[in-house]
Amino acid sequence: MSIIYALIARRTVILAEFTNSSGNFTTVTEAILEKIPPNNSKLTYVYDRYLFHYICEDGLTYMCMADDSFGRRIPFAFLQDIKTKFLEQYGQERALNSLVPYAMNEFSKTIAKQMEYYSTNPNVDRIRQVHGEIEQVKDVMVHNIERVLERGERIELLVDKTDNLNQQAYAFKKRSVALKRAMWYKNMKLTLALAGVVLFLVYLIYCAVCGFPFGSSCRGGGGQ
């Protein structure tokens, strides 16, 4: 029994995520993200032996996937916890203005730490109940995953919890490289644009002093 995967997203743009397993479950989470309404909501989707829980609040979505035997109270407590920590670290406005996927994926370390805590600590439910930090989930609706899939579509959910550390390290490294490349292209475009503006201004100043279009008066003066 454990939490397998968690993410934080702005609409369909994933800002940070972590998983301790490998599989195709991200296909399901992407389908869910596309169907989450803009208003604040909490919901659980059932798919085979797994539950996908999410909290959508003020434009941000906090989602996790867990074994169905893990129940719902602890996963929702986990989501509330990472929501609080994420907003404390980044703030609502910064997250809502982020346009680049995985722009805040350094938060994956916090997700991993809290995922491990909530998945392995046998007393977490009792401790948080004592502190009044476990929300009641009896009013949170439960839907079948077919509600967010196209009619007739069927995704065979694959989850491999063994020998996944190298695979996950590779996956996150690949995302990091893609993000760095995207930022490099963005910075390069900005640099080229600024260089073009500077050259154009130099040209205007030169022509203003020496005459348009190509500074003919300056060249003529030099030849006398």
Side-chain angles (χ1 to χ4, degrees), residues 123-205:
N123 297 316
V124 64
D125 191 41
R126 180 179 59 81
I127 292 172
R128 296 186 71 86
Q129 274 186 305
V130 169
H131 289 84
E133 297 173 348
I134 288 283
E135 288 195 2
Q136 294 299 319
V137 296
K138 61 183 179 181
D139 296 328
V140 177
M141 298 183 67
V142 180
H143 288 169
N144 194 286
I145 199 67
E146 272 71 18
R147 286 194 173 209
V148 299
L149 299 180
E150 297 296 330
R151 182 170 298 180
E153 182 183 4
R154 174 67 183 174
I155 300 174
E156 183 180 355
L157 195 59
L158 303 175
V159 179
D160 182 8
K161 298 182 181 180
T162 62
D163 192 26
N164 57 73
L165 292 180
N166 289 334
Q167 296 179 43
Q168 290 307 313
Y170 172 76
F172 283 108
K173 182 179 179 181
K174 187 174 180 181
R175 291 193 185 101
S176 178
V177 170
L179 177 59
K180 289 180 180 178
R181 185 175 298 141
M183 294 302 294
W184 184 85
Y185 281 123
K186 183 178 179 181
N187 291 334
M188 181 58 66
K189 288 179 181 178
L190 181 60
T191 301
L192 292 174
L194 290 174
V197 170
V198 170
L199 289 175
F200 183 67
L201 290 174
V202 170
Y203 168 73
L204 289 178
I205 294 171

Side-chain angles (χ1 to χ4, degrees), residues 203-224:
Y203 168 73
L204 289 178
I205 294 171
Y206 174 72
C207 290
V209 174
C210 297
F212 287 91
F214 302 110
S216 55
S217 63
C218 288
R219 292 203 307 274
Q224 291 177 352

Side-chain angles (χ1 to χ4, degrees), residues 57-170:
E57 191 170 301
D58 299 328
L60 296 175
T61 299
Y62 312 84
M63 184 187 300
C64 70
M65 169 189 172
D67 297 306
D68 60 356
S69 57
F70 204 48
R72 294 196 294 154
R73 289 204 309 179
I74 293 178
F76 273 103
F78 162 76
L79 292 177
Q80 288 287 350
D81 190 15
I82 64 170
K83 182 192 80 169
T84 300
K85 287 179 168 56
F86 181 80
L87 294 178
E88 286 176 351
Q89 183 168 338
Y90 297 102
Q92 188 87 15
E93 185 175 355
R94 180 181 172 187
L96 290 175
N97 291 330
S98 179
L99 302 177
V100 181
Y102 303 102
M104 301 168 179
N105 209 40
E106 64 268 19
F107 191 74
S108 63
K109 296 177 182 178
T110 302
I111 297 177
K113 180 180 177 181
Q114 298 310 108
M115 185 184 295
E116 175 72 14
Y117 172 74
Y118 281 86
S119 296
T120 60
N121 189 336
N123 297 316
V124 64
D125 191 41
R126 180 179 59 81
I127 292 172
R128 296 186 71 86
Q129 274 186 305
V130 169
H131 289 84
E133 297 173 348
I134 288 283
E135 288 195 2
Q136 294 299 319
V137 296
K138 61 183 179 181
D139 296 328
V140 177
M141 298 183 67
V142 180
H143 288 169
N144 194 286
I145 199 67
E146 272 71 18
R147 286 194 173 209
V148 299
L149 299 180
E150 297 296 330
R151 182 170 298 180
E153 182 183 4
R154 174 67 183 174
I155 300 174
E156 183 180 355
L157 195 59
L158 303 175
V159 179
D160 182 8
K161 298 182 181 180
T162 62
D163 192 26
N164 57 73
L165 292 180
N166 289 334
Q167 296 179 43
Q168 290 307 313
Y170 172 76

